Amino acid sequence: MKTTLKGILIGAVLLASAGQAFAYPPDNAAVLYYKAFILKEEPSDALGKMLAAVGKGEAKPDDQVRQYVERNRRVIKYAVTAADISHCDWGYDLSEGVSLRMPELAKCRQMAYVLAADARMLAEKGDYKEALKRCIAIHKMGIHAGNDTAIQVLVSNAICAMANKCIMDILPHVSNSTETLEWLGAQLTDISSRVPSMRTAIGNEAKFVSIKPTDRKELIEGVRDLGLPKDDLNKAEQVLRQHDDNEFYVMATEYYQSILSRVQIDYDLPYPQAKQALEDLNKEIENVVKEKPEAVIARVVFPIINRFVTIDTRDRTQFNAVLAGIDIYLVRVKTGKLPDELPAGLPKDLFSGKDFLYEKTGAGFTLTGQGKGLDDDSGLVLTGQGKDIVHKYEFKVAK
Amino acid sequence: MNERNEKWLDEQLKKTIDSGKVEFDGEQWKQKYSAEYQELISRARTRPNVRRFSWVRPLVRIAAVIAIVAFVILLSHNRFNRRAEQMVPVLVEDRSPTKMLSMLSLSLAYRQGGLDAVDEQSNKVFKMLGQKNTNVSSIGGLLN
């Protein structure tokens, strides 16, 4: 009896361990993403540009794109499976500081183009639900891009913005389907709460970022490529050439971290105030660098962070517009017509903190932000120039 | 092999080969080949400035010249490089490939031209690392 019981127990343990050994998918999405990146056929430069244009909705897929997508069908499957895994760890060694290698960022974006091209091809065939599922997978991959660093969040936001643009283009075809609209709304509400936050990324970066004397050569080369005014360039390069001691880089790191912490605080302000606070901080750094050479690194890097708040706000506003648009479509399906006024309680324009301006058009409706942002490459309909860009989102309805 | 055996072996070899001590006797040779000897002496006297031709010396000279030229070029090249490092912007292609994928490098690329610049820089690195672009079915295509 005892022997039988022992045998059963051993069998159960073996079965359980065998189950773990062959568990698929893995619990880390990055494993499958890396697999997809390795197997993905590298397109020629021309085809790569075409894929990006198709993904963004700027061009229709041609035969080359169609064949490419078909040849990468298994790669798409890996990426879609990876997107559904909740945990994603790219294997960063944060102790590497600013020399942390991030090869997956561009690969994520390229993969997003392939998924978006596939989504548009599915939509062309009339398989709208499947096409929207691809868009959701793109969103999830965008979330997986991570929020340890600001550059990750920029990539993440760009991927999510492309997914939203694709959704907006498919929406008219499902605008009569309550079931699809409700499903999509629920998916996007969940995703929007998990999209990496620039504020969090800057906080994380402040904790781990370090600049070391070994980064000096790269900094000098990087500074030269920035196209700074000649005086600024000479000063920055001179300071970096003069200092190769550890003490200088410790001070530079501390100063940079203090700036990031202040940026994080400024991010909590509404957009216009946050933008103003960051512009003031930029001027402060320009003054500090005259007295403290170690501030030169922050001086070189900071103007990017200054722009982040605008890009972050733009992408979140677009997300809100899509969510608001879906709610308006649902009102139309339930009542048989578009509402005359914007329904209450919809997500807002984050540039102004106010509701979107709602307008019915011959083809559907538009939502326009009340605040002004900055020029961008999201493929949205924009009016104005430079810093006076007004974001307008067009939604069409099925006839 | 012991000492006794070695001596015995030496004796046997000597007997077999019969190799007495061989020494060159110049005087005996001069007498035996007097005509040829006089001919050689006369040649040396009539062409005292003509050196015997050898392939070795020119090769050594050429090698020496090449070495000196190479040294001078290397020296000037290093100086030029040092000056270039100070004055001429370093091309992106000149950098270590994986360094161009660092957080710092990608952030600076972003500052230059947004995410498209990040993509462009990353693609350059992937190409440098041997991930060639393809137009037709590649290994990835075969595996899919």
Side-chain angles (χ1 to χ4, degrees), chain B residues 29-30 33-47:
Chain B
W29 185 85
K30 276 183 206 171
Y33 302 103
S34 59
E36 286 82 352
Y37 175 70
Q38 290 305 323
E39 171 70 19
L40 281 171
I41 295 294
S42 66
R43 270 190 211 172
R45 279 177 190 154
T46 52
R47 292 187 289 177

Side-chain angles (χ1 to χ4, degrees), chain B residues 94-132:
Chain B
D94 292 341
R95 297 182 196 163
S96 154
T98 64
K99 230 178 179 183
M100 288 162 67
L101 292 174
S102 73
M103 178 186 156
L104 175 65
S105 196
L106 293 178
S107 298
L108 293 171
Y110 180 83
R111 187 177 157 176
Q112 272 186 284
L115 285 177
D116 287 340
V118 172
D119 282 353
E120 200 179 320
Q121 181 158 311
S122 302
N123 287 337
K124 271 183 191 170
V125 179
F126 299 144
K127 279 181 191 171
M128 284 166 149
L129 294 173
Q131 296 177 23
K132 304 281 182 201

Side-chain angles (χ1 to χ4, degrees), chain A residues 39 41-45 64 71-72 74-75 97-103 105-107 109-110 113 149 151 154-155 158 205 208-209 218-219 221-222 224-226 228 237 241 299-300 303-304 308 311, chain B residues 84-92 94-96 98-112 115-116 118-119 122-123 126-127 131-141 143-144:
Chain A
L39 291 179
E41 183 183 318
E42 286 302 314
S44 65
D45 289 342
Q64 257 197 313
R71 287 201 300 273
N72 286 278
R74 191 176 294 252
V75 166
V98 294
S99 65
L100 179 74
R101 303 297 197 252
M102 310 177 95
L105 290 183
K107 294 281 184 187
R109 205 150 169 248
Q110 288 164 8
Y113 291 141
T149 65
I151 191 89
L154 288 168
V155 170
E205 205 168 307
F208 86 82
V209 77
E218 204 179 347
L219 271 166
E221 288 168 357
R224 281 177 186 161
D225 289 342
L226 282 179
L228 290 171
E237 198 174 330
R241 283 197 178 285
R299 162 80 182 82
V300 167
I304 320 172
F308 288 172
I311 295 164
Chain B
E85 198 183 308
Q86 285 165 2
M87 297 174 72
V88 182
V90 176
L91 293 173
V92 171
D94 292 341
R95 297 182 196 163
S96 154
T98 64
K99 230 178 179 183
M100 288 162 67
L101 292 174
S102 73
M103 178 186 156
L104 175 65
S105 196
L106 293 178
S107 298
L108 293 171
Y110 180 83
R111 187 177 157 176
Q112 272 186 284
L115 285 177
D116 287 340
V118 172
D119 282 353
S122 302
N123 287 337
F126 299 144
K127 279 181 191 171
Q131 296 177 23
K132 304 281 182 201
N133 286 349
T134 49
N135 228 342
V136 290
S137 180
S138 65
I139 186 75
L143 291 167
N144 284 317

